Structures are given as C-alpha cells and as structure tokens.
C-alpha cells in the first residue's frame, strides 16, 4: 500500500533530487552545444587562437585565449585587493570588535552583498572610472583595474562572512593557551587563530574567486569590452562572461557563433566547478573542530 | 618593539574593516544623493518618453515585480521541499552526498551560465520564447540553492525535543513536520527566502536574453510576453542608450529605486532574524 507518509517522503526526495537533475542538465546542455561547436570549429582554434572575432568578414576566428587571460587578470586583481582586506576585516570582526560593533557591522556587510551587480557596475562607470582617469592621468578609467576594484567589492561580503565563521569556529581554549604563554592579542591572531582557521579561510578565498570569475554585469559595464589580448591593468578588456552577455542577443540560432558562446560558457562552468570542488576539499579539512 | 607591532597589527585589522564600511557608505551615499532628485511620484508611475530621455520607470517596476513573483512561485516550494528532505528524511549516504554536492556546485555556477541554460531550455527547448515566464524560471533555478541552504539551516535549528514530543503523542513523521517543525522554522525559512528572492530581483545577466526588453510601450499581459526590468533598464540607461550623459539622472533614479527595493527586502529579512535571535535568547 502506498501510504500518505510514503508519498510525502518521495515528494520531498524528488524536490531534492531536482538539484542533481538541474546541475546535470546544465552540464549536458553545455557539453552538447560545445561538441557541436567543435564539429564546426577545431579544438585547436578555440584554445590556440588568441582573438574572438566571430564577425570578421573574410575569416572569423574563435579564440578563447584573450578572454580567458582577461578573466584571470581581472580576477587576480580583485583577489589582490579582496583577500587581505576581507581576511583582515573578518579577523577584526571575530577577534577584536566588541559585540556591539559586531552586531552593527555584520548586517552592514550583508547589505553590501545585497547590492545588485548592475548597480555596482553603474558606480564603476560614474564613480570609479572618472576617479581612476584622474589619479593615473588616463583618457578613460574604463579598464581592467576598474573591473578588479568592483569585483573586489563584490567578493568581499563572501570572503568576510565565510572567514569570520572560520575564525569563530576555532575553540576558545586555543586562544587562552596562547595568552597563557604570554602571547599578545596580535601574536595570538597571527600565530594561533589564523593557522587554525586556515582551511576555512581557503574556502572563503575559493568562494570569492568563484564569485569574481562568474560575475557578468560589473565587468561588462566597467572594463570596456575590448576583445584583444590585454597587456596591462590599464587596458580595456572583455572577460568570458562579458563576451557571452554582449553577443548572445545578436547571434543566429544554430550558427558557429551561437555554439561558440556556449563553448565559452562550458569553459566558464568547468572553471567554476573546479573552484567549488577546491572549496569543498578545504571545507572537509575544516570539520575537525565541529 | 613588541608593543609597536601589536598596535600596528591591530590597527591594520581596523583599517580593513573601515575600508569595507567606507565602500558601503560611498555606494549608498552616492546613489542616495544623486538619485534622490530624480525620484518623484511621476518618475515611479509613468512610462519612459521621448526615446527614454524623459518620463519614468513604471513598466520596469511592474516587470521586476512580475518576474520576481514567478521566481518565488517556482523556487520556494521546490527549495523548501528539498530542504525538508535533507533535514528530516535524508540518511547520510551516497545519495545524500551527491545531492548536497550538487547544491553547493549549483550555488557556484555563474549567473550568465544560468542565462545560457535558460535560453537552451525555456526559450528554445520548451518554446516559451523570450518571456516573463522564461526569465522567471531561469531566476528560479538560480535562487534554488540559496533557498535550500537557508531553509535547511532553519529546519535544523528546530530543537530535536519538539519532534520527540510530537512522536511521543503518537504523531506520524509528516504530521510532526507539518504541525511542529515547519511552524517553528517558519521565520527562519522566511528570512532566507526573502534574501534569495531579493537577489533574484537584482540579477541582470540571467534575464538579458531570456525575456527582458529594452523598451516596451505596454505592460506584459501574459506570462509569455516580454517585459522591462529595473536592473536591465539601469544597464541600458548607463551603457546602451544613445545619449548616456543626458539620461544620467534617470539612471541614478533607477539605481536608487532598484537598490531601495532590494535593500528594503534585505532589511526586512535581517530584522526578522534579529527578532528571532532575541526570542531564542530569552
């Protein structure tokens, strides 16, 4: 007999199973369209050709290198800013701030996480761009550096909240032992709490990287969208996400160009999967305190 | 020497926290000061006029509310259902590990990839076309992992004694979940849900090619119509418009309404959680 209890249980199980179906669906869809692309355009061209020029009149080229480098560059720039600032702010929140300050700061950081990416991109155009142009005497501040600054701001809430959790999960006895040996607060943070929280902090860094790599609107709006191999942070760049977002509206269904954009998306998906798996790995190292 | 290191070290940490606060205030201050003058009753309730150089954002507001509703309808039941399974039924094992790992990975999938999936599945595969429905469903998928994670946390925080007391009175598992676990987890689930939906309302990349339109002279009349959305409208005003400098004040106004909408939802969620924590402490 198929009882009501059983039915409800299966219903919820199906809900949970849907997540696997969706993830699998996304991957299979991307893979299918990517394979179609490689039937039309060689694997070699995709990875060895530098420039993405699908609308070139004589011979279109579909090289992913320039945008891959752009994505990595903007992400590295963002992490150079966001990792130290984020970990520092998390250490402050967990180890230094009074409970009162913490109670105010944490919701504020959450509010930052809630600001839509398109609004951050807008501020990149009207605020950060002109500021960079002035400071570095450039004709335009719409470049990779601008994108890095904005992505750093967007990755900060993730890095802060996950690292703060990591700091707070270190048992109090570690700190007490350190203090009992005569270490100061700062020494305790640097030599005891930070190393103990390190796996969790690496999770935070990975999630921050994932956020930066996959972010679309801010880089689309604030980095200038020039499809060339970047040479410096003052160059205008087009990341993988920005290329997909700016071109998919104009392609013909089923064309080389159409499948090409899914191939870029597939590569992006694989990068984010790798970053997530690394986060998972560090997370499994963190559990010993729980 | 030791003392100096101590002082510099702790002040560096303070500086980091200060930089974060500064970023938040610069963002909010600039949008507020520049956006406020553009806001008026007319701006909120009229259509864009004269090639979007004048007028308001009414269709974009309606479109965003519309698409967000569809997102909520499709992601909340599925997400809460999955969370109930994971929290109440799942036994540790192979299947559960795969499900959990999928959820974590879904949370990390870039929003533009959800957009591509939306195009392939809803727009082309199921032939919903570029529409409110396609965009809402795409955003629903994007929000799902977030809702599951927060709902599961809320369910897990319900004390085990509640369940045991209910079983002791002879209630079945489903009766226990329905009449004990869900009601006491409700505020927590609500918080997570509002936060998730507010993110969806601010997203742009997934709706770029699944249904958002540059300009429409009418409101969507069915789920299969295209729609205007606040985030996409802001994107257009600040990068795609023919007179970007000339419509800057409109862009600021749109940014302010968008941020106001999203942050108001966030604030409500944070307040609910704050009251919840206070209750638990007492």
């Amino acid at each position: 007999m198929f009882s009501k209890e059983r039915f409800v249980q299966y219903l919820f199980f199906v809900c949970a199973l849907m997540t696997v179906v969706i993830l699998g669906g996304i991957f299979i869809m991307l893979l299918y369209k990517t394979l179609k692309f490689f039937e039309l355009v060689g694997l070699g061209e995709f990875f060895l050709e530098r420039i993405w020029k699908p609308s070139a009149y004589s011979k279109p080229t579909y090289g992913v290198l320039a945008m891959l480098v752009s994505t990595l560059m903007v992400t590295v720039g963002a992490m150079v800013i966001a990792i130290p600032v984020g970990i520092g702010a998390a250490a402050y929140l967990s180890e230094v701030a009074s409970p009162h300050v913490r109670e105010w700061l944490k919701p504020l950081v959450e509010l930052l996480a809630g600001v839509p990416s398109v609004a951050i991109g807008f501020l990149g155009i009207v605020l950060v761009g002109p500021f960079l142009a002035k400071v570095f005497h450039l004709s335009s501040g719409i470049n990779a550096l601008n994108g890095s600054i904005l992505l750093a701001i967007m990755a900060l809430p993730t890095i802060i909240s996950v690292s703060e959790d990591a700091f707070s999960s270190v048992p109090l006895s570690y700190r007490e032992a350190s203090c009992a040996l005569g270490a100061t607060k700062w020494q305790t943070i640097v030599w005891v709490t930070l190393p103990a929280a390190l796996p969790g902090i690496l999770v935070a860094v990975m999630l921050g990287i994932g956020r930066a790599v996959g972010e679309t609107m801010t880089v689309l709006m604030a980095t200038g969208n020039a499809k060339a191999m970047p040479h410096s942070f003052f160059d205008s760049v087009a990341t993988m996400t920005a290329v997909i977002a700016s071109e998919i509206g104009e392609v013909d269904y089923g064309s080389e160009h159409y499948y090409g954009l899914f191939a870029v998306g597939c590569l992006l998906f694989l990068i984010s999967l790798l970053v997530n798996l690394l986060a998972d790995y560090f997370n499994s190292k963190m559990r010993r305190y729980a | 020497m030791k003392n100096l290191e101590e002082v510099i070290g702790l002040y560096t940490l303070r500086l980091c926290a200060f930089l974060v606060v500064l970023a938040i205030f610069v963002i909010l201050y600039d949008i507020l000061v520049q956006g406020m003058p553009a806001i008026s009753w007319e701006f909120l309730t009229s259509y864009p006029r004269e090639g979007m150089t004048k007028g308001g954002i009414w269709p974009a507001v309606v479109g965003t509310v519309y698409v967000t509703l569809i997102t909520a309808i499709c992601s909340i039941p599925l997400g809460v259902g999955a969370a109930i399974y994971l929290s109440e039924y799942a036994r540790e094992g192979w299947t559960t590990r795969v499900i959990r790992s999928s959820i974590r990975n879904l949370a990390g999938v870039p929003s533009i990839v959800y957009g591509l999936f939306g195009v392939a599945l809803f727009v082309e595969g199921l032939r919903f076309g570029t529409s409110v429905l396609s965009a809402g469903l795409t955003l629903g998928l994007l929000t799902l992992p977030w809702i599951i994670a927060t709902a599961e946390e809320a369910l897990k925080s319900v004390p085990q004694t509640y369940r045991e007391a209910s079983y002791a009175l002879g209630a079945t598992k489903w009766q226990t979940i329905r009449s004990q676990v869900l009601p006491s987890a409700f505020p927590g689930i609500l918080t997570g849900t509002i936060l998730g939906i507010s993110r969806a309302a601010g997203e742009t990349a997934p709706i770029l090619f699944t249904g958002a339109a540059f300009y429409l002279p009418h409101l969507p009349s069915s789920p299969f119509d295209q729609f205007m959305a606040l985030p996409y409208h802001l994107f257009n005003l600040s990068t795609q418009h023919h007179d970007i400098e000339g419509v800057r004040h409109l862009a600021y106004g749109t940014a302010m309404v968008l941020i106001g909408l999203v942050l108001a939802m966030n604030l409500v969620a944070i307040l609910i959680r704050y009251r919840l924590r206070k209750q638990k402490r007492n």
Side-chain angles (χ1 to χ4, degrees):
Chain A
M1 215 13 228
F2 207 64
S3 72
K4 189 176 168 193
E5 286 289 320
R6 264 292 162 76
F7 174 74
V8 170
Q9 178 173 356
Y10 279 123
L11 189 70
F12 291 140
F13 177 65
V14 168
C15 287
L17 207 60
M18 278 306 286
T19 58
V20 184
V21 173
I22 294 167
L23 189 69
I26 292 176
F27 184 56
I28 289 168
M29 178 277 295
L30 287 172
L31 205 63
Y32 173 75
K33 303 228 173 194
T34 303
L35 290 176
K36 282 240 169 180
F37 176 69
F38 288 137
E39 274 172 24
L40 299 165
V41 177
L43 202 73
E45 171 164 347
F46 188 61
F47 285 108
L48 297 176
E49 190 72 48
R50 298 162 110 196
I51 306 300
W52 185 261
K53 219 196 262 166
S55 52
Y57 194 69
S58 53
K59 190 193 177 304
T61 56
Y62 296 97
V64 81
L65 269 187
M67 56 174 126
L68 186 61
V69 170
S70 300
T71 292
L72 294 181
M73 192 167 129
V74 175
T75 305
V76 168
M79 288 305 119
V80 166
I81 304 168
I83 291 174
V85 174
I87 295 175
Y92 172 78
L93 271 175
S94 164
E95 309 297 312
V96 185
S98 66
H100 182 71
V101 172
R102 199 177 308 154
E103 208 152 283
W104 273 103
L105 265 181
K106 284 180 78 170
L108 217 53
V109 172
E110 250 176 275
L111 278 190
L112 182 60
V115 176
S117 58
V118 68
I120 304 260
F122 175 62
L123 289 173
I125 296 174
V126 296
L127 223 59
V128 181
F131 174 77
L132 290 179
K134 213 187 215 170
V135 171
F136 296 104
H137 305 290
L138 305 166
S139 60
S140 156
I142 303 296
N143 53 29
L145 181 60
N146 192 335
S148 287
I149 293 173
L150 299 180
L151 288 184
I153 292 175
M154 301 212 62
L156 269 173
T158 309
I159 295 183
I160 293 174
S161 63
V162 179
S163 324
E164 205 236 330
D165 279 347
F167 276 117
S168 345
S169 73
V170 175
L172 193 61
S173 55
Y174 281 43
R175 298 181 189 92
E176 286 166 350
S178 167
C179 288
L181 291 171
T184 63
K185 191 161 206 167
W186 171 247
Q187 285 169 330
T188 305
I189 294 173
V190 174
W191 299 108
V192 178
T193 325
L194 186 69
L198 198 62
I201 290 172
L202 288 176
V203 175
V205 169
M206 282 300 142
L207 294 179
I209 291 175
R211 190 97 208 260
V213 169
E215 181 45 51
T216 307
M217 296 318 288
T218 46
V219 284
L220 177 63
M221 293 164 83
T223 61
N225 245 334
K227 280 154 202 148
M229 187 59 88
H231 297 288
S232 88
F233 272 96
F234 296 128
D235 281 352
S236 162
V237 298
T239 64
M240 299 164 71
T241 52
V243 169
I244 298 174
S246 63
E247 293 181 2
I248 194 120
E250 298 153 14
V251 296
D252 296 325
Y253 176 79
S255 62
E256 274 178 15
H257 188 185
Y258 170 87
Y259 288 122
L261 293 174
F262 280 88
V264 176
C266 190
L267 187 57
L268 195 63
F269 177 80
L270 291 177
I271 293 174
S272 69
L273 207 61
L274 180 73
V275 169
N276 267 296
L277 289 178
L278 279 174
D280 262 11
Y281 170 75
F282 292 127
N283 205 19
S284 66
K285 297 257 149 188
M286 191 63 198
R287 281 207 193 114
R288 59 197 153 166
Y289 304 122
Chain B
M1 220 30 224
K2 208 185 216 180
N3 226 338
L4 188 67
E5 191 192 318
E6 180 81 10
V7 170
I8 294 175
L10 291 183
Y11 267 98
T12 313
L13 297 187
R14 283 201 178 87
L15 179 71
C16 289
F18 174 75
L19 281 176
V20 177
V21 176
L22 184 73
I24 299 166
F25 275 106
V26 167
I27 291 170
L28 296 183
Y29 177 84
D30 188 63
I31 299 274
L32 199 68
V33 167
Q34 310 256 12
M36 214 50 194
I39 307 278
S40 66
W41 187 244
E42 201 224 326
F43 179 71
L44 291 174
T45 58
S46 65
Y47 278 73
R49 277 181 286 115
E50 294 169 41
M52 301 214 301
T53 56
K54 291 204 171 68
I57 53 170
W58 176 240
V61 175
V62 173
T64 289
V65 171
Y66 203 169
V67 79
T68 309
L69 277 179
I70 294 184
T71 303
I73 291 169
C74 92
S75 65
I76 293 174
L78 197 58
V80 175
I84 291 175
Y85 176 77
L86 286 174
S87 155
E88 308 298 319
Y89 290 100
R91 287 193 209 101
E92 283 317 310
W94 184 81
T95 333
T96 310
R97 271 211 305 281
V98 170
I99 291 174
R100 282 189 196 285
S101 165
S102 296
I103 295 169
R104 275 198 302 275
N105 281 300
L106 275 180
V109 170
S111 58
I112 190 87
V113 172
Y114 278 102
L116 286 175
F117 186 59
V119 169
L121 180 64
F122 302 125
V123 177
E124 290 162 1
L126 297 172
R127 297 190 187 280
F128 294 157
T130 47
S131 61
V132 190
L133 186 62
S134 294
L137 290 173
T138 308
L139 286 176
L141 297 184
L142 175 101
T143 326
L144 197 59
W146 176 270
I147 291 185
I148 297 174
T150 49
E152 194 195 345
E153 204 175 310
L155 290 165
K156 284 235 157 109
S157 73
V158 175
Q160 198 57 35
T161 49
Y162 284 32
R163 298 185 182 89
E164 284 157 6
S166 174
Y167 292 144
L169 291 172
T172 63
K173 186 145 198 162
W174 169 232
Q175 284 169 337
T176 303
I177 293 171
R178 199 182 48 197
S179 52
Q180 298 303 321
V181 181
L182 274 181
S184 55
F186 182 72
I189 294 178
L190 191 65
T191 310
T193 309
I194 297 175
L195 282 174
I197 297 297
S198 81
R199 297 236 160 127
E203 272 290 350
T204 319
I207 62 171
L208 274 177
F209 18 88
T210 51
F214 184 79
Y215 171 74
L216 288 174
H218 52 79
L219 299 177
S221 57
S222 92
F224 295 100
D225 282 349
Q226 287 197 315
F227 64 105
M228 288 180 74
L230 281 172
Y232 188 50
H233 192 60
L234 174 57
F235 170 69
N236 286 327
L237 286 180
S238 53
T239 62
Q240 309 288 302
H241 198 272
H242 62 85
D243 181 18
I244 289 170
E245 299 294 328
V247 295
R248 185 110 307 159
H249 64 288
L250 293 177
Y252 262 113
T254 311
M256 166 131 182
V257 174
L258 176 64
I259 290 192
L261 189 78
V262 171
L263 291 194
M265 287 167 85
N266 269 274
L267 221 54
V268 169
I270 290 172
L271 280 177
I272 296 175
R273 190 176 48 198
Y274 183 75
R275 290 189 58 178
L276 194 71
R277 282 205 186 135
K278 260 198 164 161
Q279 260 173 26
K280 278 209 176 128
R281 243 177 267 161
N282 292 340

